Amino acid sequence: MEFDGEFELEGVPPEKAWIVLSDPIAVRNSLKGCRYITPMDDEFSFDEYEPNEGAETLPEADPEVVADRAFREGERYAALMQIGVGSVKPRFETTVTIDERDDENFEMIASGGGDASSSSFSMTSGMRIDDLEGGEGSRIEWWTEADITGRIAQLGSRVIKPVADKIVTNFFGSIEQQMTDVDAETDESVTDRLRNML
């Protein structure tokens, strides 16, 4: 299955949008059904990991902490997801690798997959942030190619696509609010420090 789209953020420049979308905590907070996104090693256990529920994001968080935990090229991340699709609500133990990350052009590509008791998926996703034409702001283009098997796949695209669209719409709505907060409360010196650290 293929999903793609674009999202515009007026008044939020690409460098600030990039900072928020580079923060695993900000992404987790905006992704409904996601309990955590965290770097993982060979010993990682989905059952034993306890997420930091109280981790702050910008503008309240320390910019150096946010920069230190940003997604990094070549790093593997564990994400625990639970998403309802029709009558099915599987708990996906997901592994994601940041395959490419371009801080100059605000581009990122990731791949991974996840398993639940009766379903599994693999995917490749990407995004790019550009200046908004004709005004100040950002245009975020994103795409995902996913291969879904098992019980969820049997529901068909007519059931899956509306759920995916709702998740994406809610995600970018939440991200937009976070970015607006950062844009309103984070001064340029903090933004410059973050960009230099990422």
Side-chain angles (χ1 to χ4, degrees):
M1 298 184 72
E2 296 183 4
F3 306 90
D4 61 73
E6 63 178 52
F7 193 81
E8 294 183 352
L9 297 171
E10 293 188 13
V12 181
E15 57 269 21
K16 289 188 178 178
W18 181 247
I19 288 167
V20 174
L21 286 166
S22 295
D23 181 6
I25 302 299
V27 172
R28 177 203 70 184
N29 291 350
S30 296
L31 194 56
K32 186 176 181 181
C34 182
R35 188 168 175 220
Y36 59 75
I37 302 173
T38 188
M40 66 184 298
D41 55 27
D42 293 336
E43 305 299 320
F44 185 86
S45 169
F46 283 92
D47 291 325
E48 296 177 7
Y49 180 76
E50 290 294 330
N52 182 359
E53 301 287 357
E56 292 182 330
T57 56
L58 292 175
E60 290 83 8
D62 181 336
E64 292 187 14
V65 171
V66 174
D68 188 55
R69 71 185 180 215
F71 290 119
R72 300 191 186 284
E73 187 173 308
E75 185 96 55
R76 286 195 314 148
Y77 294 84
L80 187 62
M81 303 281 300
Q82 188 159 18
I83 300 171
V85 182
S87 60
V88 183
K89 195 172 183 181
R91 175 182 179 268
F92 281 101
E93 296 180 352
T94 304
T95 302
V96 177
T97 300
I98 306 300
D99 298 313
E100 298 177 28
R101 179 186 165 94
D102 184 344
D103 291 311
E104 293 299 318
N105 294 306
F106 307 122
E107 292 182 89
M108 192 157 28
I109 296 175
S111 61
D115 295 293
S117 58
S118 58
S119 302
S120 65
F121 77 94
S122 60
M123 62 87 187
T124 301
S125 297
M127 73 166 181
R128 177 186 174 94
I129 307 174
D130 290 306
D131 286 308
L132 188 61
E133 293 181 15
E136 292 187 11
S138 302
R139 186 178 76 253
I140 301 167
E141 297 179 64
W142 63 272
W143 56 268
T144 297
E145 295 178 0
D147 184 19
I148 304 168
T149 60
R151 189 174 175 191
I152 288 182
Q154 294 171 2
L155 297 173
S157 61
R158 285 184 298 177
V159 175
I160 297 172
K161 191 157 191 335
V163 173
D165 288 343
K166 183 176 180 181
I167 291 169
V168 169
T169 299
N170 290 341
F171 172 76
F172 280 113
S174 177
I175 284 290
E176 180 179 18
Q177 184 58 57
Q178 290 192 59
M179 291 177 182
T180 301
D181 292 343
V182 170
D183 193 52
E185 299 185 33
T186 305
D187 63 31
E188 291 301 323
S189 64
V190 171
T191 302
D192 290 342
R193 285 170 56 204
L194 276 163
R195 283 209 65 196
N196 290 335
M197 288 185 281
L198 291 176

